[in-house]
């Protein structure tokens, strides 16, 4: 089963129902927890996850805050 599209162009729902950054294996919750647990801003999250763009990070945080 392939990933499902969402209203967020950079976010998809994987076969297990988990929101992920499209085209990666990075879960939205991982990015949200980096923000909440470590108080990292988007730039620090980018430094810690260099495979992600700032757009992907902001999309993940937006998706998280809309669906928490």
């Amino acid at each position: 089963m392939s990933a499902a599209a969402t209203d967020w162009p950079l976010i998809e729902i994987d076969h297990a129902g988990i929101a992920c950054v499209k085209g990666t294996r990075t879960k939205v919750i991982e990015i949200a927890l980096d923000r909440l647990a470590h108080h990292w801003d988007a730039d620090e999250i980018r430094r810690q996850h260099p495979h992600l763009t700032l757009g992907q990070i902001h999309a993940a945080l937006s998706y998280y805050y809309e669906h928490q």
Side-chain angles (χ1 to χ4, degrees), residues 31 33-46 48-49 61:
I31 296 169
L33 288 175
D34 283 345
R35 171 74 184 112
L36 298 170
H38 303 295
H39 305 285
W40 290 345
D41 62 11
D43 290 326
E44 183 59 30
I45 294 170
R46 171 75 172 95
Q48 299 297 323
H49 301 277
L61 291 172

Side-chain angles (χ1 to χ4, degrees), residues 17-67:
I18 306 296
C20 297
V21 176
K22 190 172 189 175
T24 74
R25 293 183 177 194
T26 305
K27 298 173 186 169
V28 166
I29 193 65
E30 292 173 11
I31 296 169
L33 288 175
D34 283 345
R35 171 74 184 112
L36 298 170
H38 303 295
H39 305 285
W40 290 345
D41 62 11
D43 290 326
E44 183 59 30
I45 294 170
R46 171 75 172 95
R47 283 189 282 281
Q48 299 297 323
H49 301 277
H51 65 284
L52 299 175
T53 67
L54 283 175
Q56 290 171 316
I57 292 164
H58 285 289
L61 291 172
S62 174
Y63 184 89
Y64 170 77
Y65 288 121
E66 286 292 323
H67 293 88

